[in-house]
């Protein structure tokens, strides 16, 4: 909440120096600031892509709607334009962009005056992009507790793999093993089908650690006698 307010307020202050409305930039800032960085990236990205697609689709259909309505009924242009917008969002997998794209499409068609519809569309795309990008930058440099914890866990996993492959630090391996076991215990409680592959990956990491730890604990520290490192880690989602 605090970061969202800060982002929108800073954008409003910056835009005031240019005597420009910060409306759509502030809207983009709200969409771009999720409770997690990934959430903000998805919501803000969908907002920007939807605005981009909706704005671009509205340009030709604005002319058709207002200039050629005597040939073909206006509602047909609206239906075809909306269909095209939704189809492009499907092709680009920007499923969450349908709603913001449709908003831009209908606002341009119904409310924007003819001489200004081009400048309105491009200004709205630009402002939305600025707002989303501004919030994502704030979210990246000031991560939420959840993002910060995930970054630490990722750093621990990376360091654990490095020590396993390079330095064979026993204490670090124990710490890494504890982390992997705690992850398995956490996933065991949830155990959705989508996490089975990740569970298999954690078990494979434990399988790599166990023989090396055992040999380090019960044999002299002679790296020449250590078993070879197993294959690289499997791909995970």
């Amino acid at each position: 909440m605090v970061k969202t307010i800060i982002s929108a307020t800073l954008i409003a202050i910056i835009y005031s120096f240019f005597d420009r409305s910060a409306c759509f930039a502030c809207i983009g800032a709200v969409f771009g600031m999720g409770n997690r960085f990934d959430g903000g990236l998805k919501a803000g990205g969908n907002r920007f892509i939807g605005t981009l697609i909706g704005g671009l689709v509205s340009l030709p259909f604005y002319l058709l709607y207002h200039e050629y309505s005597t040939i073909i009924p206006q509602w047909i242009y609206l239906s075809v334009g909306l269909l095209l917008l939704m189809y492009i969002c499907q092709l680009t997998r920007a499923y969450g962009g349908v709603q913001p794209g449709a908003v831009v499409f209908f606002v341009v068609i119904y409310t924007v005056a003819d001489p200004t519809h081009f400048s309105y569309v491009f200004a709205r795309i630009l402002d939305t992009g600025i707002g989303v990008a501004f919030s994502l930058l704030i979210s990246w440099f000031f991560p939420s507790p959840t993002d910060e914890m995930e970054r630490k866990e990722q750093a621990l996993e990376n360091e654990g793999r490095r020590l396993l492959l390079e330095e064979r630090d026993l204490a670090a391996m124990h710490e890494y093993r504890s982390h992997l076991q705690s992850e398995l215990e956490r996933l065991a409680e949830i155990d959705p089908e989508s996490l089975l592959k990740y569970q298999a990956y954690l078990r494979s990491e434990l399988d790599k650690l166990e023989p090396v730890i055992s040999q380090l604990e019960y044999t002299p520290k002679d790296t020449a006698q250590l078993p070879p490192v197993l294959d690289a880690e499997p791909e995970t989602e």
Side-chain angles (χ1 to χ4, degrees):
M1 290 171 60
V2 172
K3 289 192 293 185
T4 302
I5 294 171
I6 291 174
S7 179
T9 302
L10 288 177
I11 287 176
I13 293 172
I14 292 171
Y15 268 61
S16 67
F17 290 105
F18 298 95
D19 193 25
R20 180 184 177 90
S21 172
C23 175
F24 299 117
C26 288
I27 292 173
V30 173
F31 273 85
M33 186 67 72
N35 60 342
R36 295 179 55 188
F37 180 81
D38 289 345
L41 181 62
K42 182 177 180 180
N46 282 331
R47 177 73 186 186
F48 175 74
I49 293 174
T51 301
L52 176 65
I53 295 172
L56 295 179
V57 170
S58 71
L59 293 177
F61 282 91
Y62 183 93
L63 297 176
L64 293 172
Y65 182 89
H66 290 281
E67 301 295 334
Y68 297 95
S69 58
T70 56
I71 302 174
I72 299 176
Q74 291 178 323
W75 63 266
I76 293 181
Y77 293 128
L78 291 176
S79 299
V80 174
L82 183 59
L83 174 63
L84 180 61
L85 184 155
M86 296 174 69
Y87 182 68
I88 294 174
C89 287
Q90 292 287 327
L91 285 180
T92 58
R93 299 184 180 276
Y95 306 114
V98 173
Q99 292 85 353
V103 169
V104 175
F105 177 79
F106 288 121
V107 166
V108 172
I109 296 294
Y110 280 114
T111 68
V112 180
D114 185 21
T116 62
H117 70 280
F118 275 95
S119 60
Y120 173 87
V121 167
F122 291 111
R124 180 151 188 179
I125 293 171
L126 176 64
D127 292 339
T128 300
I130 290 174
V132 170
F134 201 88
S135 281
L136 289 176
L137 284 174
I138 291 178
S139 183
W140 177 260
F141 286 109
F142 301 97
S144 68
T146 303
D147 284 329
E148 195 168 3
M149 181 183 67
E150 287 189 353
R151 290 182 188 180
K152 289 180 180 179
E153 289 181 351
Q154 185 61 50
L156 178 60
E157 290 184 4
N158 293 338
E159 181 67 6
R161 285 193 292 271
R162 186 186 70 80
L163 292 169
L164 174 62
L165 295 172
E166 298 175 9
E167 299 182 12
R168 301 180 182 275
D169 186 310
L170 184 58
M173 288 183 188
H174 278 294
E175 183 180 2
Y176 185 38
R177 181 174 63 179
S178 298
H179 165 68
L180 295 173
Q181 289 172 336
S182 65
E183 282 289 278
L184 279 173
E185 292 172 1
R186 180 177 67 85
L187 294 176
E189 297 177 358
I190 304 172
D191 200 28
E193 184 177 352
S194 60
L195 293 178
L196 292 178
K197 190 173 182 180
Y198 184 46
Q199 288 178 309
Y201 158 66
L202 293 175
R203 291 192 180 96
S204 70
E205 287 287 286
L206 281 171
D207 290 340
K208 293 178 186 178
L209 279 172
E210 293 295 349
V212 181
I213 289 176
S214 297
Q215 188 161 358
L216 285 173
E217 287 179 332
Y218 299 112
T219 61
K221 295 183 178 180
D222 182 2
T223 55
Q225 300 298 321
L226 291 176
V229 176
L230 301 181
D231 294 335
E233 63 177 273
E235 294 183 358
T236 58
E237 293 182 349

